[in-house]
Amino acid sequence: MSENTDRVAITADGDWTDDVDAEEGVVVNWFVGEGSAVDDGDTLCEIQIEKVSIDMEAPIDGTLDEIVHGEDDEFTIGETLAWIEPG
């Protein structure tokens, strides 16, 4: 895990949060692992809120530095799921 403060958080929020009433969700699947290079727009993981599946995408090019919530982990909407090191 890097201590770089320039890391970008992948958070469980977005435009879709207006469409759900739930305050919690679960990580269904990670498509990339820690240390993997990612490009802007790559699908990182699938989350489920209520009965809706949502693909979380990389907002920048970089390296998936740290997964905070693994598969089957529950999280609160707005919580950080992972960190990307820009690059």
Side-chain angles (χ1 to χ4, degrees):
M1 175 175 63
S2 172
E3 295 301 322
N4 185 338
T5 57
D6 293 334
R7 295 188 310 167
V8 175
I10 305 305
T11 56
D13 58 9
D15 295 339
W16 50 266
T17 55
D18 293 336
D19 298 331
V20 297
D21 293 326
E23 295 181 13
E24 296 181 338
V26 65
V27 176
V28 176
N29 187 31
W30 278 98
F31 300 112
V32 296
E34 287 182 353
S36 296
V38 296
D39 293 324
D40 184 2
D42 283 355
T43 301
L44 301 175
C45 69
E46 176 186 5
I47 62 173
Q48 186 167 9
I49 311 290
E50 293 177 329
K51 294 184 179 182
V52 178
S53 292
I54 300 159
D55 288 339
M56 301 298 295
E57 297 180 351
I60 61 168
D61 295 344
T63 302
L64 185 62
D65 189 45
E66 177 185 1
I67 294 175
V68 178
H69 289 284
E71 292 179 5
D72 299 323
D73 282 356
E74 292 184 3
F75 59 84
T76 302
I77 302 296
E79 199 169 1
T80 298
L81 300 177
W83 291 94
I84 293 180
E85 181 87 30

